[in-house]
Amino acid sequence: MSGIESVDTLIIDLPTIRPHVLAMATMHHQSIVLVRIRDTDGVEGVGEGTTIGGFSYCEESPESTKLAIDDYMAATLIGRDPAQVGAIMADIARHVVGNHMAKCAVETALLDLVGKRLGLPVSELIGGGRRRDRLPVAWTLASGDTARDVEEAGRVLAERRHNIFKLKIGKREVREDVAHVAAIKRALGDRASVRVDVNQGWSEAQAHLGMRLLQDADIDLVEQPVRGKNHAAMTRLSAAHGIPLMADEALRGPADAFAVASTAGARVFALKIAQAGGLYAAHAVATIASAAGIGLYGGTMLEAGVGTVASAQLFSVLPDLEWGTELFGSLLVREDILAEPLRYADFHLEVPTGPGLGIALDEDRIEFYRRDRPRSPAQSIPEKV
Ligand code: MUC
Ligand code: MG
């Protein structure tokens, strides 16, 4: 196989269809880092490194992701055989600690490139191959307004796009947040599964109150109610409540997965390729969960099309995906950078079947939304988070 010739990165700011209100940030656009790795035959692999709300979700931002790839990873890639994905990523890990979003973007691009060369989808390069071609997809209601959320949920339910809803809470007082959630659950009844994500917004005492009230309101799942590092509180909450606790921010790779599993800190894991540090690391998280009898949910960092498909390729190989996925990032942005839109139908996302990730990019949109595009004063620059 020919060697890697170039590594290019780009920050792209994609406006969202509406403000997305989370406990720690309100998003008006999603900033993705696109990495393009080319070999000497001109075959290109693409990957995406994405986080939420600048530095407000974790220690990585779009700017730091780009810098990590440009200044600390690219040199390790040049001249290498892209098929040696594991060896290349191990070399990168030897001199780059953390930076999981950046590592995920690079690993995704390598897998895309190798898949294209071999004529195989990425799913066939990981975890024993694909087991499903469609994935159930949740939608997040996070407009910040109950009536608007109820209208939005009713609309996408009627379109048969989503029948699982995740509500973002943790910003307001606990009882106020639960009242908002209960109103939406009452409006949807048995037609949908309703879950919440607190994004670490509660203290342990608030979480006990919240979980009790949410269980009474018939809510199916509570995601990361307390700090992800507070494993002891997660263990106590999981033991005290029937409503399952799902770990998200607590899981930054296999070692965290082992720690949470061995302390019974969660009944469900949100699996995220970016947070775990790539598809292989996320697969290891899934294996630990399955071995411990922990349920799996295919999570998202609200990636646009490239990262969404990379996640879908991994989720398609998992033996168990009891809680479905939330791979809706491509629908949250007004325009994605894919040449063909992803196919969402009948409450599912179809996993592309072509070689590599199975997608092509829309170069005009990339040019239009790239952050470093020269703009005249009259052209509006997407507002920062
Ligand atoms: C998170 O914390 O899970 C996933 C869906 C969504 O709306 O936000 C993300 C991040
Ligand atoms: Mg979450």
Side-chain angles (χ1 to χ4, degrees):
M1 208 177 253
S2 48
I4 294 172
E5 192 173 70
S6 65
V7 179
D8 293 296
T9 59
L10 210 53
I11 298 181
I12 301 171
D13 295 311
L14 299 169
T16 54
I17 54 172
R18 57 151 167 73
H20 199 61
V21 184
L22 300 92
M24 66 297 179
T26 297
M27 298 166 62
H28 298 276
H29 70 269
Q30 179 55 305
S31 299
I32 68 169
V33 179
L34 182 71
V35 56
R36 316 180 78 142
I37 299 182
R38 223 170 234 279
D39 71 11
T40 44
D41 291 329
V43 182
E44 182 183 75
V46 298
E48 180 180 334
T50 294
T51 183
I52 293 170
F55 270 126
S56 58
Y57 183 93
C58 66
E59 302 87 345
E60 289 172 76
S61 71
E63 299 77 16
S64 76
T65 299
K66 178 169 168 32
L67 179 130
I69 298 171
D70 292 348
D71 291 11
Y72 293 92
M73 298 183 185
T76 307
L77 290 156
I78 300 297
R80 302 287 292 267
D81 174 354
Q84 306 293 310
V85 181
I88 296 173
M89 295 312 297
D91 283 346
I92 286 176
R94 257 190 283 286
H95 60 265
V96 181
V97 172
N99 286 278
H100 287 188
M101 320 275 154
K103 286 175 181 166
C104 176
V106 167
E107 191 194 83
T108 302
L110 291 172
L111 288 167
D112 185 36
L113 201 166
V114 176
K116 282 175 180 153
R117 291 198 68 103
L118 298 174
L120 291 172
V122 167
S123 55
E124 308 312 292
L125 308 176
I126 43 176
R130 188 174 294 202
R131 295 174 190 237
R132 55 181 85 76
D133 286 320
R134 309 183 324 143
L135 301 165
V137 185
W139 177 252
T140 295
L141 300 168
S143 73
D145 177 80
T146 309
R148 188 168 173 185
D149 284 353
V150 168
E151 181 280 320
E152 193 173 291
R155 182 162 38 81
V156 297
L157 192 57
E159 288 167 3
R160 295 183 63 78
R161 223 179 66 185
H162 309 278
N163 57 4
I164 306 170
F165 296 100
K166 169 158 140 176
L167 276 53
K168 289 291 191 179
I169 59 171
K171 230 182 144 160
R172 296 177 286 201
E173 202 267 313
V174 176
R175 286 181 190 278
E176 210 183 316
D177 261 343
V178 175
H180 160 77
V181 174
I184 293 174
K185 177 64 190 170
R186 268 196 309 277
L188 296 172
D190 292 338
R191 294 180 297 153
S193 169
V194 176
R195 303 140 184 212
V196 301
D197 189 357
V198 191
N199 281 114
Q200 318 184 84
W202 286 340
S203 68
E204 185 174 353
Q206 288 173 318
H208 275 294
L209 172 65
M211 288 179 76
R212 179 167 63 73
L213 298 175
L214 288 164
Q215 177 156 350
D216 291 347
D218 210 14
I219 302 308
D220 293 329
L221 197 61
V222 179
E223 181 171 343
Q224 203 62 62
V226 292
R227 303 295 312 168
K229 288 198 164 62
N230 195 350
H231 293 183
M234 290 169 64
T235 302
R236 287 189 287 268
L237 289 162
S238 286
H241 298 278
I243 184 169
L245 186 156
M246 177 158 82
D248 178 9
E249 283 90 334
L251 300 172
R252 293 192 45 84
D256 287 340
F258 181 72
V260 176
S262 54
T263 51
R267 299 215 187 105
V268 185
F269 278 3
L271 198 61
K272 294 185 174 178
I273 60 169
Q275 199 159 265
L279 282 74
Y280 286 118
H283 189 265
V285 171
T287 305
I288 291 165
S290 298
I294 293 169
L296 282 175
Y297 176 67
T300 180
M301 287 300 289
L302 300 175
E303 290 98 339
V306 175
T308 295
V309 170
S311 303
Q313 295 282 348
L314 171 68
F315 301 159
S316 76
V317 313
L318 300 176
D320 309 303
L321 200 56
E322 184 187 348
W323 294 86
T325 80
E326 56 181 13
L327 294 180
F328 67 87
S330 187
L331 300 170
L332 187 65
V333 291
R334 246 186 268 157
E335 289 191 302
D336 204 343
I337 56 163
L338 302 183
E340 290 289 327
L342 298 179
R343 302 223 310 230
Y344 291 89
D346 212 17
F347 308 117
H348 286 75
L349 165 67
E350 289 175 25
V351 188
T353 52
L357 293 173
I359 50 171
L361 301 180
D362 183 322
E363 302 297 343
D364 292 339
R365 291 214 186 117
I366 291 174
E367 274 313 302
F368 183 78
Y369 289 113
R370 59 187 289 175
R371 187 177 286 181
D372 62 2
R373 174 172 71 97
R375 290 162 208 267
S376 71
Q379 289 172 312
S380 65
I381 298 170
E383 163 196 352
K384 284 200 84 175
V385 173

